[in-house]
Amino acid sequence: MLKLTLVRHGETEWNVQHRYQGQTDIPLSAIGVRQAELVAERLTGEKFDAIYTSDLKRAWQTARFIAEKVGLSVSAEPRLREMAFGVLEGLIWDEAEEKYPKMLKAWLEDYNQPPDGGESLDAFSERILSCRDDLLAKHNAQRVLLVAHGGSLSELVRLSLDVPLEKRWAFAMNNASI
């Protein structure tokens, strides 16, 4: 049986500002770098067979600190990226509500009506499932570390546990959490 350890990336400036990050490639903040160092310290001595990470900077940076401590290389896995929020990326809630009130309302009522340039929940879920299924096939009976984003990791947990869509926010993860 595949055993997964999930780590959310360290903090970014956009996390602090409560901006929609999505797939915008934001690096870790100074605090995020320290968080990544600390989570790497925590995982020192753990045995993993592989490390996969989203190819976005914030996750990649976090994974590199961990990889150094556990003596493995990191494999980029674009399917672990955060959900794409399209035109909302870079905005805080109030800005999104002011600029795109109808689009935001439609999306919040049905996540399969994404903001312009965004990703539907069905497409996002399919991407995450595809990644999970490939990991299961490739790493059966191994322990794998995934470093990614709050949305992609919580969706992975939700789908793996067959939790209803209405509960998708029940698996919120703090920055640099395991």
Side-chain angles (χ1 to χ4, degrees):
M1 171 173 45
L2 172 65
K3 293 182 181 178
L4 295 175
T5 298
L6 312 178
V7 173
R8 185 178 176 203
H9 64 79
E11 179 186 275
T12 69
E13 292 299 328
W14 281 18
N15 287 134
V16 175
Q17 297 165 5
H18 303 288
R19 295 189 181 281
Y20 287 99
Q21 286 183 101
Q23 295 188 9
T24 302
D25 207 7
I26 305 299
L28 296 176
S29 66
I31 290 172
V33 167
R34 184 64 185 137
Q35 290 173 330
E37 291 170 342
L38 290 170
V39 77
E41 274 301 315
R42 166 59 183 82
L43 293 170
T44 298
E46 296 288 330
K47 303 292 184 221
F48 298 103
D49 296 293
I51 300 175
Y52 290 89
T53 185
S54 159
D55 60 345
L56 297 176
K57 285 178 194 166
R58 56 197 185 266
W60 184 260
Q61 289 175 293
T62 303
R64 297 238 8 240
F65 281 106
I66 298 166
E68 199 173 285
K69 292 289 187 182
V70 300
L72 289 173
S73 61
V74 179
S75 297
E77 177 47 79
R79 292 175 293 179
L80 290 172
R81 283 182 171 202
E82 182 61 274
M83 177 184 259
F85 298 124
V87 295
L88 301 183
E89 292 187 18
L91 302 179
I92 61 172
W93 172 263
D94 290 343
E95 293 168 338
E97 200 170 42
E98 184 179 316
K99 283 182 87 167
Y100 304 107
K102 290 179 185 174
M103 190 183 311
L104 188 62
K105 183 178 186 298
W107 180 54
L108 293 174
E109 288 175 0
D110 179 0
Y111 287 110
N112 283 311
Q113 293 184 30
D116 291 348
E119 184 175 23
S120 72
L121 180 59
D122 284 348
F124 178 60
S125 296
E126 286 174 26
R127 174 165 56 88
I128 298 301
L129 277 175
S130 167
C131 180
R132 184 201 66 185
D133 292 347
D134 286 352
L135 290 171
L136 283 165
K138 187 174 183 177
H139 296 285
N140 190 21
Q142 292 185 331
R143 187 166 179 212
V144 174
L145 175 71
L146 301 182
V147 182
H149 311 274
S152 55
L153 294 175
S154 62
E155 186 66 359
L156 175 65
V157 171
R158 184 188 78 77
L159 292 166
S160 296
L161 297 177
D162 199 26
V163 172
L165 181 60
E166 306 80 57
K167 305 276 187 184
R168 82 177 295 259
W169 302 113
F171 301 105
M173 298 177 184
N174 293 326
N175 290 111
S177 63
I178 301 171

